[in-house]
Amino acid sequence: MRHFFALRLAATLLTFAPTVALAQQSTTKPATPATKPASTPAAKKPVAAPTKTTAAPAVAPGKTVLTPPKTGAATPKAATTPKVTPAAGVAKPATTGTTKPAAAGTTPAKPASSATVAPKPATPPKPTGPPLPANMGSSDPNVRYQNGKILITQTRYDLAMQELETLTPPAAKFDRAPEAAYLYAVAATRAKKWAEAEQMLNLLRNEYPTWPNMAEAFFLQAQISFELGEADNALKMLAQLPAGRLTTEQEAMKAVYLPRVKDKLVFQALLTRYPQDAAVGRAYADKLVTGGWYTEADKATLDQLVTQLSLDRTRYTPRPKAQKKSSYNVAVLLPFEFDDPSWEKQRKNQFVTDLYAGMRLAQDSLQREGRPVQLYSYDTGADTLQLKQVLALPELASMDMIIGPVYKSGSKILARYAQQKQIICINPLSQDADLVLDNGWHYLFEPSTVTQAKQAAQFAIGRFTSRTAVVLYEDTKDEAAFGQAYKTAYEALGGKVLQLRRINSDVDESIGSGFAGLDLKTVGHLVVASDHRKSGPYTLGVMQSQGARVPLLTYASWLENNRISLGQLDSRDVFFIHPKYLDKTLPGVRRFRQLYLQRQNLPPSVFAFTGFELLYYFASQLHQHGPGFQQNLAASGPVSGAVFQGIGYPSGAHDNQYVPFTKLERLEIEVQNPVGIR
């Protein structure tokens, strides 16, 4: 029993501690824009950079004005006027080269040889990591039990589940069946297979109710319920733990998961059901004060929580709600990189200039509609040091909204700043949902990878008649999140993912083993979550060799892969997940392109469209609801964008929930007519 207690404790820590770490630790990997900029040296100091205007007063003496270059200028340079003034008009980006717009309807260039790339024979991947336990699948239950424990420590969770599953039912007559069931649930939880884990815990509670370590099963079920968005059931499970058991772990779990409850009504129900739970009360108070939930109707509840929980009244005094104004100040924090005026640097940084130019055009449209905004632009460089210097400027705290930055390390810093100062900030390019986790003041303009997967699953359920799928995903964090989210969402809608496989397209053996043993003619549809240039040709080659006509769902980046011919795509049912789809026939897109050409003398890139849509949409929210518009945004559904197909942040979501799907140039969803460009 002493040996199992040590293993049980390790399993508990293995299950929960990484979840806490993910919520509390930051990474330094930069958020990748659609066109990946090169690394750049750190700039010396921040440049407050709104464009010069003759009508606006100076705001912060001693800062350098960002003057947009005129058409034909080689690179934008900082002027020396010792004032920061609001921007007016449209920035002229550098014309050192044009960036080709990433339009969805663009036909990829046909390579010299468009013959289908035949797949190489699948060979087993080279073994990596520690050796597998001996006698896998043994008829001896004790051997399988020991194998399961070893495989969990090796993080081979799927194999551990295979070894342990046959030991768990009462019919197996295994004397350690409850322990095997619990360890199976641990492995399934670590593999994010929530349904399998929950099913096994139900078996454990129903078939072995006298197991002396049932508290750990309740604890694990609580985590699963939290992950599935069932906070009430999670708290019920924790309430069944004996007094004094796993107390520290319980508080840590609540601290991680309760802030993720995004629905105010749901949280109010939790507060009513668990009035004596200090963690619930504290989390709700935090949501009111720093999460943007507070209204005058919440004053009595907040005062009661502060008194009941002995909270610091100074910290839990909400900031007075900002009043609606006739004009709003918006800070734009982007890596303009003015300290490096070289042609190479400015050319690689063209996406930043395009993004800002689109915002300036949106500023002009808003001005014409009587909804003015003043842009204050700051050069944050490519390192966090310069961003921190910018955030130290006093005028940043008086902004009504902040846009930027584009790199992940900087985004985490700005997210904390926005939450402390209670200023909404918008990340323009990232698709990482972790950046906006537990932060009511931080939004992604893009749909996150997980949102794309969920929307793709809904699309597949409604579009394809067969309810089976095979999902392959690239060996990266984002694609792994996509694959698991797709499986969870698709099966919740009634479908079945027959295979969920990880591939590494840099290794021929890996991509070959990903397709090994698959008969694509027998599945409903195939999903390939990979941007790798090898994955597309290989997938199409496998489909051709098998004579499979199965529908294929994948990323829109395949349209830009010159190793894939238009004929290969057109001859099959290929559907693309395309968050940046631009329908060139829509009047809004045509009008924007016309205005941009008139002012910049070059066609707009997708980043220019992004800059326009981002500022136009969120500035409209400012004018409609004021600086604290979170609750109004959560109560509204998707709306037609000015140039993109739609934007929506329903039910407290903080990444765009609207994801178009395309089949070459034909949009597969019904859209409204875009509005707003004047």
Side-chain angles (χ1 to χ4, degrees), residues 23-321:
Q24 294 177 344
Q25 296 176 2
S26 62
T27 61
T28 57
K29 183 180 177 182
T32 306
T35 300
K36 187 175 181 181
S39 295
T40 54
K44 295 180 180 179
K45 65 177 183 177
V47 179
T51 304
K52 184 176 179 182
T53 179
T54 58
V59 174
K63 301 299 180 289
T64 305
V65 173
L66 172 65
T67 304
K70 298 179 180 179
T71 302
T75 57
K77 296 184 180 180
T80 57
T81 306
K83 293 182 180 180
V84 173
T85 55
V90 177
K92 304 284 187 179
T95 56
T96 55
T98 60
T99 302
K100 186 177 180 179
T106 303
T107 301
K110 188 173 182 178
S113 176
S114 61
T116 302
V117 179
K120 297 180 180 180
T123 57
K126 297 179 181 179
T128 59
L132 292 171
N135 299 321
M136 291 279 290
S138 171
S139 59
D140 185 341
N142 291 294
V143 172
R144 297 191 71 141
Y145 179 75
Q146 294 299 327
N147 286 347
K149 293 194 296 184
I150 293 171
L151 290 165
I152 289 176
T153 62
Q154 294 178 347
T155 70
R156 289 165 165 159
Y157 304 119
D158 289 336
L159 293 177
M161 292 166 64
Q162 293 176 20
E163 288 292 283
L164 295 167
E165 186 174 15
T166 59
L167 310 178
T168 61
K173 300 183 186 300
F174 181 52
D175 58 351
R176 283 178 286 184
E179 288 88 344
Y182 175 74
L183 292 177
Y184 175 98
V186 169
T189 301
R190 296 303 303 136
K192 299 186 183 299
K193 295 185 175 182
W194 312 116
E196 290 88 339
E198 190 168 43
Q199 183 178 5
M200 187 58 70
L201 289 176
N202 288 335
L203 181 147
L204 176 60
R205 292 196 301 271
N206 294 330
E207 300 294 342
Y208 310 104
T210 60
W211 186 49
N213 302 300
M214 192 62 71
E216 279 71 24
F218 286 129
F219 182 83
L220 192 57
Q221 177 62 65
Q223 184 193 358
I224 295 169
S225 295
F226 270 129
E227 288 285 353
L228 294 174
E230 301 168 356
D232 185 33
N233 190 62
L235 293 173
K236 287 179 182 177
M237 291 294 107
L238 294 177
Q240 296 186 51
L241 268 66
R245 292 294 300 274
L246 300 172
T247 303
T248 303
E249 290 82 356
Q250 286 189 61
E251 295 306 308
M253 179 182 287
K254 292 175 184 177
V256 169
Y257 286 105
L258 285 173
R260 300 184 186 177
V261 178
K262 299 184 183 301
D263 192 311
K264 187 176 181 180
L265 293 177
V266 170
F267 219 136
Q268 288 173 337
L270 295 178
L271 194 65
T272 301
R273 290 192 187 98
Y274 307 95
Q276 302 304 316
D277 194 317
V280 174
R282 189 179 302 106
Y284 187 70
D286 288 335
K287 283 284 192 179
L288 290 177
V289 176
T290 63
W293 283 8
Y294 183 81
T295 65
E296 287 301 318
D298 298 307
K299 186 178 187 303
T301 301
L302 182 58
D303 287 342
Q304 179 184 349
L305 291 173
V306 169
T307 302
Q308 175 185 336
L309 303 175
S310 301
L311 302 176
D312 182 355
R313 191 168 293 277
T314 302
R315 177 185 172 189
Y316 285 91
T317 298
R319 178 182 177 184
K321 185 176 181 180

Side-chain angles (χ1 to χ4, degrees), residues 158-490:
D158 289 336
L159 293 177
M161 292 166 64
Q162 293 176 20
E163 288 292 283
L164 295 167
E165 186 174 15
T166 59
L167 310 178
T168 61
K173 300 183 186 300
F174 181 52
D175 58 351
R176 283 178 286 184
E179 288 88 344
Y182 175 74
L183 292 177
Y184 175 98
V186 169
T189 301
R190 296 303 303 136
K192 299 186 183 299
K193 295 185 175 182
W194 312 116
E196 290 88 339
E198 190 168 43
Q199 183 178 5
M200 187 58 70
L201 289 176
N202 288 335
L203 181 147
L204 176 60
R205 292 196 301 271
N206 294 330
E207 300 294 342
Y208 310 104
T210 60
W211 186 49
N213 302 300
M214 192 62 71
E216 279 71 24
F218 286 129
F219 182 83
L220 192 57
Q221 177 62 65
Q223 184 193 358
I224 295 169
S225 295
F226 270 129
E227 288 285 353
L228 294 174
E230 301 168 356
D232 185 33
N233 190 62
L235 293 173
K236 287 179 182 177
M237 291 294 107
L238 294 177
Q240 296 186 51
L241 268 66
R245 292 294 300 274
L246 300 172
T247 303
T248 303
E249 290 82 356
Q250 286 189 61
E251 295 306 308
M253 179 182 287
K254 292 175 184 177
V256 169
Y257 286 105
L258 285 173
R260 300 184 186 177
V261 178
K262 299 184 183 301
D263 192 311
K264 187 176 181 180
L265 293 177
V266 170
F267 219 136
Q268 288 173 337
L270 295 178
L271 194 65
T272 301
R273 290 192 187 98
Y274 307 95
Q276 302 304 316
D277 194 317
V280 174
R282 189 179 302 106
Y284 187 70
D286 288 335
K287 283 284 192 179
L288 290 177
V289 176
T290 63
W293 283 8
Y294 183 81
T295 65
E296 287 301 318
D298 298 307
K299 186 178 187 303
T301 301
L302 182 58
D303 287 342
Q304 179 184 349
L305 291 173
V306 169
T307 302
Q308 175 185 336
L309 303 175
S310 301
L311 302 176
D312 182 355
R313 191 168 293 277
T314 302
R315 177 185 172 189
Y316 285 91
T317 298
R319 178 182 177 184
K321 185 176 181 180
Q323 300 298 315
K324 293 177 66 173
K325 302 187 297 186
S326 59
S327 179
Y328 291 94
N329 298 327
V330 178
V332 181
L333 279 56
L334 294 175
F336 293 101
E337 300 277 18
F338 290 121
D339 285 356
D340 186 352
S342 66
W343 182 90
E344 293 82 5
K345 173 60 64 179
Q346 296 302 320
R347 182 65 186 88
K348 290 177 180 178
N349 227 33
Q350 184 73 40
F351 79 99
V352 175
T353 309
D354 291 354
L355 191 68
Y356 184 65
M359 294 182 200
R360 296 296 304 280
L361 198 57
Q363 181 190 29
D364 183 70
S365 290
L366 290 163
Q367 178 72 37
R368 291 174 181 271
E369 296 172 4
R371 297 182 290 174
V373 294
Q374 306 301 325
L375 294 183
Y376 294 84
S377 306
Y378 298 84
D379 184 1
T380 58
D383 64 350
T384 58
L385 177 61
Q386 189 164 339
L387 173 63
K388 291 177 181 178
Q389 292 174 340
V390 172
L391 296 179
L393 298 173
E395 65 259 29
L396 258 293
S398 66
M399 294 294 169
D400 298 303
M401 189 169 70
I402 301 174
I403 296 174
V406 297
Y407 300 118
K408 183 178 291 188
S409 56
S411 295
K412 290 180 177 293
I413 294 173
L414 179 59
R416 290 193 294 269
Y417 176 89
Q419 193 169 38
Q420 292 167 2
K421 302 296 183 180
Q422 298 185 21
I423 304 172
I424 289 178
C425 65
I426 317 295
N427 187 294
L429 300 177
S430 177
Q431 296 179 354
D432 187 353
D434 289 344
L435 292 176
V436 296
L437 192 65
D438 307 335
N439 191 334
W441 298 90
H442 196 190
Y443 286 87
L444 302 182
F445 179 68
E446 300 280 352
S448 68
T449 305
V450 171
T451 291
Q452 292 181 45
K454 292 177 179 178
Q455 294 294 320
Q458 292 181 10
F459 175 83
I461 281 289
R463 177 81 189 193
F464 309 134
T465 55
S466 176
R467 291 292 184 262
T468 60
V470 168
V471 180
L472 280 70
Y473 61 91
E474 198 66 44
D475 189 14
T476 64
K477 175 194 169 189
D478 288 342
E479 273 60 59
F482 181 100
Q484 187 58 54
Y486 188 93
K487 181 179 188 299
T488 301
Y490 189 67

